[in-house]
Amino acid sequence: MADDTKVPEPQIQLRRRGPLGALRSSFLTGLAVLLPIGLTVWLIWVAVGWIDSWILPFIPQAWRPDSLLEYYLGEKPPFSVRGVGVIIFFVFTVLVGWVAKGIIGRSLIAWGEGIVGRMPFVRSIYNGLKQFAQSVLTQGDAKFDKACLIEYPRKGVWSVGFVSTPARGELAESIPDDDDVLTVFLAMNLLPPSGFLVFVPRRDVIILNRMTVEDTAKLVISAGLVYPEPGSAPSAK
């Protein structure tokens, strides 16, 4: 005989948040809003001060902003003026770029690079820094194209990376694989400029079509704490 006795379902009681819990939640929400703003302003302030510390020593003391304010106000200003060095650096850089595009500028650059090319140690440093600056600052093909996933450092363990360019020249010819080989940069957490450069066959690379390079960089820098919007999914290519 079947027992028709119904077992009462357990009732889940929602725990109400007390005044301290609400205060804590509001504090954390406000902190999450103010912390990025504060850090951004602080980093800009520090960067501007660093540039000023390099540029202002080349300006005569009488023409510096603090000296001019002291002259017109009749007393030393209670704050230090920042940003003048950034403006001077910007104008100077624009003028250098404008001159470098002309015939005279290109001739001077070629002449200077010819002198540097005769210095063994300095030549290697200059050429490396020049290629890095051109890759990062110019809007050409030398940039990260897409984010990807590869099995590294062993099979079954996945690492996120950045696809730069297909392998070329002797590297592509020396790798014993019939498939195209992609150049993938694996950035180290919290230190994006450093990492590993690996060459992987295209079939072993999963391209992330919905995650942009910026989203992937945030994921790496935050050590996996900041993920892109929900719903993004990788797809093989």
Side-chain angles (χ1 to χ4, degrees):
M1 182 175 180
D3 189 3
D4 296 335
T5 305
K6 294 183 178 179
V7 179
E9 297 181 357
Q11 296 181 356
I12 300 176
Q13 296 181 354
L14 297 178
R15 184 180 180 183
R16 291 187 177 183
R17 183 179 297 174
L20 293 179
L23 182 64
R24 176 179 176 273
S25 177
S26 299
F27 173 77
L28 294 178
T29 302
L31 188 64
V33 173
L34 294 178
L35 189 60
I37 298 175
L39 288 177
T40 302
V41 173
W42 179 76
L43 288 175
I44 294 176
W45 181 261
V46 172
V48 170
W50 181 75
I51 296 176
D52 284 350
S53 66
W54 279 85
I55 303 300
L56 291 182
F58 296 97
I59 302 176
Q61 183 67 35
W63 292 96
R64 296 181 184 179
D66 294 343
S67 300
L68 292 176
L69 282 178
E70 184 176 359
Y71 174 78
Y72 286 108
L73 296 177
E75 59 181 0
K76 188 174 181 180
F79 56 89
S80 179
V81 179
R82 291 195 178 190
V84 178
V86 176
I87 298 175
I88 296 175
F89 175 75
F90 175 78
V91 174
F92 177 75
T93 304
V94 171
L95 291 176
V96 171
W98 178 70
V99 173
K101 291 181 178 179
I103 299 177
I104 298 178
R106 289 198 297 266
S107 300
L108 290 175
I109 293 175
W111 175 74
E113 289 182 345
I115 296 178
V116 174
R118 299 186 182 95
M119 305 177 183
F121 182 72
V122 178
R123 175 181 58 196
S124 301
I125 298 177
Y126 173 78
N127 290 334
L129 293 177
K130 178 182 177 182
Q131 292 178 1
F132 176 78
Q134 290 179 345
S135 300
V136 174
L137 300 178
T138 58
Q139 299 296 326
D141 295 333
K143 61 181 180 180
F144 291 133
D145 186 19
K146 286 183 177 294
C148 69
L149 285 172
I150 64 172
E151 287 188 294
Y152 182 88
R154 63 176 177 81
K155 190 173 182 60
V157 177
W158 295 87
S159 298
V160 66
F162 303 92
V163 179
S164 54
T165 58
R168 303 171 183 171
E170 185 178 358
L171 285 173
E173 298 172 357
S174 301
I175 296 176
D177 199 291
D178 297 333
D179 197 3
D180 294 337
V181 178
L182 299 179
T183 305
V184 179
F185 178 72
L186 301 177
M188 295 178 62
N189 290 347
L190 306 179
L191 295 173
S194 61
F196 304 96
L197 188 65
V198 295
F199 299 92
V200 187
R202 185 182 294 272
R203 64 176 179 274
D204 296 331
V205 177
I206 298 178
I207 301 297
L208 303 178
N209 290 322
R210 296 185 183 179
M211 281 184 61
T212 64
V213 174
E214 291 78 10
D215 291 336
T216 308
K218 294 176 185 177
L219 179 66
V220 173
I221 295 174
S222 65
L225 297 178
V226 178
Y227 272 80
E229 293 295 330
S232 61
S235 61
K237 183 178 178 181

